[in-house]
Each structure stands twice: as C-alpha cells, then as structure tokens.
Amino acid sequence: MTRRVIIEADGGSRGNPGPAAYGAVLRDAETGTVLAEDGSTIGRATNNVAEYSGLIAGLRLAQDHAPDAEVEVRMDSKLVVEQMSGRWKIKHPDMRPLAAEATRLAPAGTTYTWVPRELNSYADRLANEALDGVRDGVTVPARVEDEDSLIEEIESPGAAAAGDPPASVQSQVRGWSAGAGAPTTLILVRHGVTAHTVAKRFSGGLASANPGLSDEGRDQVRATAQWLAPIAERVDAVIASPVRRTLESAEIVAEVLGKDVAVEPGFAEMEFGVWDGLTFAEVGERHPDALREWLGSLDAAPEGGESFRVVEERVLAGLQRVLDEHPGRTVVVVSHVTPIKTLVSHAVSAPLDAVFRMELTPASVTVVSFFGRGPTGDEPRTSMRLYNALPPARDPFADPSGW
C-alpha cells in the first residue's frame, strides 16, 4: 500500500483566456514511481482556472489510486499554493468554486509546496500535450509487477514443457525480467563541466591537472541532483571517483539527497599521460602515431597513461566492490566518460570498443541494474534502464519515475 504520494500539477492557457488544459501526475513519494497521470483540455479558460483544474485532477488521481495515502501537492503556481494553504484570500469569483472542490477532495493534512517551474516540467508537458491534441485523459503507466507476471508466465514449468527456447532467447528473456531478488541499481552521473571540458581537452584522473568544476558545471550538477531528489529515500549511498571534479559533483548530489560521499578509486577517469590538457587536434599534431594506435587498439596507451583494457579491469573491480557492499540497493555513482561507458558496455554485453560509439553529456544520468547471479553463478544479469538522460532544466521530457 502506498503510504505517501506527491501530486505535481500545472495548467496553462494559450491566450489567457484561450484554449486551456491541465496536467497532473501522481507519484509514490518513497520511490518516485508514477502511479497515474492526466492531461486534458478544459475549453476556453484562464491560466489560473487551468492551474486549479490541474490540482483538482491530481487530487482525484490520489482519491482513485492511493485513497489512504498522505498527500503533498507541488505546483509552480504561487497563487494556488498560497490560497490552498490558507495564507491568501480567494477574491476572484471564478476561483472560489474550484478552491472549494479542491478542498473537498483533499485528504486531511494535505500540504502544498511551491516549486520552481523547471521542477514541474512533467505536469507542464502533459498540459501542452493535451493542448497539442496528442493526449487526452487519465493514463496509468505499466507497472513492473505486470512485467514480472508476464515473464513468470513465460518461464513457468508449463511453458518449459512445451519446449525450452534456444539459449539466446532465454538470455533475452532474463534481460527483460527483474530477475531473482531485488536488483542492485547504479545511477551513474557524469561530473559537470570544467574549463577542460569546455575547451575539449583531454582530462584524466588523479595524475592529471585535476581541474575543478566551473560555475556552469556546478549548476549542471545541482540541476541533476534536484532531479534525483524525489528518489532520495531509495538511495543507499553516493559514491565518487577520487578525482576533484567528481568529488565536487558528488558533494553537491549528496547534499541534496541527504547522504555522505564514499570514494571508489576504480571509477576514476582514464589517465592520458603526456596527452593530458591537450586538445584532440593538438595530440594529432604532436603524437600522430600514438593517437592512431590508441584509436585502433584497446591495449594501446598514451605515454604515461592507461589503455582501455587497463581501465576496464579496474572499473569492473570497482563495480564488484559496489555490488558486494550494496546488494539489492540503489547507489548513485559519480564518475567520468570512460568508466561510465565501460560499465554500460559491460551491462549490455557489448564489446569494449563500443565506447567509441557512445556520447555522454556532462551531468547526465545513466541507470544500470544488476540482478543476482547468472546461470553459471559467476556473472550478474543486467539491464540498462536509462542512458545519457538530462534533468528537466536541460531536457523537458526527462522523468526518473520509471527507474
């Protein structure tokens, strides 16, 4: 049973008054999972009427899908939040019946919280989709339990009696399912930008120039941390590479999530040796043969640096330590381009040279889960749930609820 829920609601009018719609999202407060959502038009109305309509829709979602839960409402409308909290009088006649209906629907103890517009982008998107004619009404996202039931049916003894599928198909089915027991989930966050990132310079691990975050980088990471805040209760730990830019990023994330920072040296960036601080073009001019070899072989390394194979070995050793220390829990890992791409390649059983075909944005989020142990008992089953996602402040369609 869901004990506490969060309603995110918004509304808007194109014209004020003009064609109007609302969006409302009901989340499990502990997990951040979306329980239900509603995006609907309401004809011609003002922004304030649309916002109140979104609130009412969200309260109805709570009544239908979490009738006994405590409710917190989050909106970027200062007017609605202050009026429903009893701090502002409701003077406009159009608002009074809407406020009365919201009060009737709201369970005792409902709280109202104002949030910045960028943190209410999910509800805003639903309203705009309704106005654009691409959605209408309530939808309930498919739950993980439904997927598990389907997989259980596929893997049931009855299904096996009809003939086992080939090993390759069995492997795919295992990837779809949640596996045995709770997964260990890694929320992989790349650090924010530094002066080297902006200038596109090689920037390695502890043996590098070790630049810190720029102001822009701190802002990027803070937006990502705030995006992760609804699932803070699910996070067991925040783990960082020991490199300065990742430690600084992890401290921001940990502060928002209310956690301490632990260090895992296996997740440090590749060491680039004599290439550190140079641009790709400069390396091509000064070390053309070494660069050509590095791009053509996973075993080649810059002078004084590391090869991709060496990085893979220490990254996977770090991964095993995290899996051993946090079984069945969710962990935020703040790391770098090469280690994160290495973990993704490992998770999807891709060859290591797949790292050359991935893009990874600063302060982006990638989510990988590890389910128990594989058929031979030596490898966990894996599932990549998200890759290179950005928070609402940088990507209006981002939503962490399904992790």
Side-chain angles (χ1 to χ4, degrees):
M1 180 181 69
T2 304
R3 297 180 180 179
R4 191 163 61 89
V5 294
I6 294 170
I7 295 170
E8 299 168 9
D10 199 7
S13 167
R14 294 177 179 173
N16 197 30
Y22 63 77
V25 187
L26 181 70
R27 296 185 187 273
D28 184 314
E30 293 186 0
T31 67
T33 301
V34 173
L35 304 176
E37 57 190 37
D38 186 3
S40 299
T41 56
I42 56 173
R44 183 178 175 83
T46 64
N47 284 330
N48 291 339
V49 168
E51 289 165 345
Y52 260 108
S53 298
L55 168 61
I56 291 169
L59 291 168
R60 285 178 175 151
L61 291 177
Q63 190 177 69
D64 292 341
H65 299 278
D68 299 318
E70 297 178 10
V71 175
E72 178 191 356
V73 176
R74 298 178 182 177
M75 299 182 68
D76 60 63
S77 170
K78 191 76 170 177
L79 175 76
V80 175
V81 167
E82 294 298 318
Q83 288 181 343
M84 291 302 300
S85 299
R87 293 186 289 268
W88 290 3
K89 292 183 179 180
I90 304 173
K91 299 179 180 180
H92 198 288
D94 290 347
M95 301 299 109
R96 290 173 185 163
L98 295 171
E101 175 65 5
T103 300
R104 183 186 70 82
L105 291 168
T110 297
T111 59
Y112 297 86
T113 304
W114 177 85
V115 296
R117 183 176 181 83
E118 60 267 20
L119 296 185
N120 202 33
S121 61
Y122 194 117
D124 176 70
R125 172 169 61 85
L126 294 175
N128 278 292
E129 287 178 354
L131 283 171
D132 293 337
V134 298
R135 69 164 295 134
D136 181 31
V138 176
T139 54
V140 179
R143 305 297 300 279
V144 172
E145 294 89 337
D146 299 332
E147 180 183 299
D148 290 348
S149 297
L150 174 61
I151 298 302
E152 286 173 5
E153 182 177 341
I154 292 172
E155 297 182 335
S156 68
D164 289 334
S168 59
V169 176
Q170 291 181 21
S171 176
Q172 292 174 27
V173 169
R174 284 193 296 270
W176 297 337
S177 71
T184 302
T185 295
L186 271 57
I187 300 175
L188 305 169
V189 178
R190 185 188 171 193
H191 62 80
V193 298
T194 70
H196 280 197
T197 315
V198 174
K200 300 185 183 302
R201 296 185 179 278
F202 282 94
S203 190
L206 290 173
S208 73
N210 210 6
L213 295 177
S214 64
D215 289 342
E216 180 187 5
R218 282 186 282 272
D219 289 343
Q220 291 172 339
V221 175
R222 191 167 292 108
T224 296
Q226 290 170 346
W227 182 36
L228 297 176
I231 60 172
E233 294 181 15
R234 292 167 55 188
V235 175
D236 191 44
V238 175
I239 298 174
S241 139
V243 182
R244 179 182 173 188
R245 57 191 179 276
T246 42
L247 280 175
E248 290 179 354
S249 298
E251 287 168 358
I252 294 171
V253 173
E255 181 181 8
V256 172
L257 300 185
K259 309 293 178 181
D260 294 326
V261 177
V263 173
E264 171 48 64
F267 295 145
E269 181 57 288
M270 171 185 280
E271 296 292 358
F272 294 106
V274 296
W275 297 358
D276 193 80
L278 301 179
T279 67
F280 193 87
E282 289 170 340
V283 172
E285 292 173 359
R286 302 180 192 182
H287 311 279
D289 294 337
L291 179 60
R292 191 178 305 110
E293 184 181 5
W294 183 71
L295 292 173
S297 171
L298 297 169
D299 296 305
E303 181 184 344
E306 294 177 299
S307 70
F308 283 100
R309 289 293 183 198
V310 169
V311 173
E312 179 187 40
E313 182 177 355
R314 66 170 169 78
V315 166
L316 295 186
L319 169 64
Q320 191 59 58
R321 287 189 287 270
V322 170
L323 296 179
D324 290 341
E325 293 171 10
H326 304 275
R329 307 305 295 270
T330 296
V331 178
V332 175
V333 173
V334 184
S335 188
H336 311 257
V337 169
T338 309
I340 293 176
K341 289 181 178 181
T342 300
L343 288 167
V344 169
S345 296
H346 173 70
V348 299
S349 298
L352 184 57
D353 61 8
V355 299
F356 292 115
R357 295 184 286 277
M358 300 183 202
E359 294 290 335
L360 200 68
T361 307
S364 61
V365 172
T366 296
V367 181
V368 181
S369 290
F370 297 82
F371 301 96
R373 295 289 174 175
T376 62
D378 57 357
E379 285 293 337
R381 300 195 296 274
T382 58
S383 173
M384 186 172 72
R385 299 183 169 190
L386 197 70
Y387 180 75
N388 198 34
L390 298 175
R394 302 167 69 196
D395 180 356
F397 299 106
D399 168 34
S401 63
W403 305 347

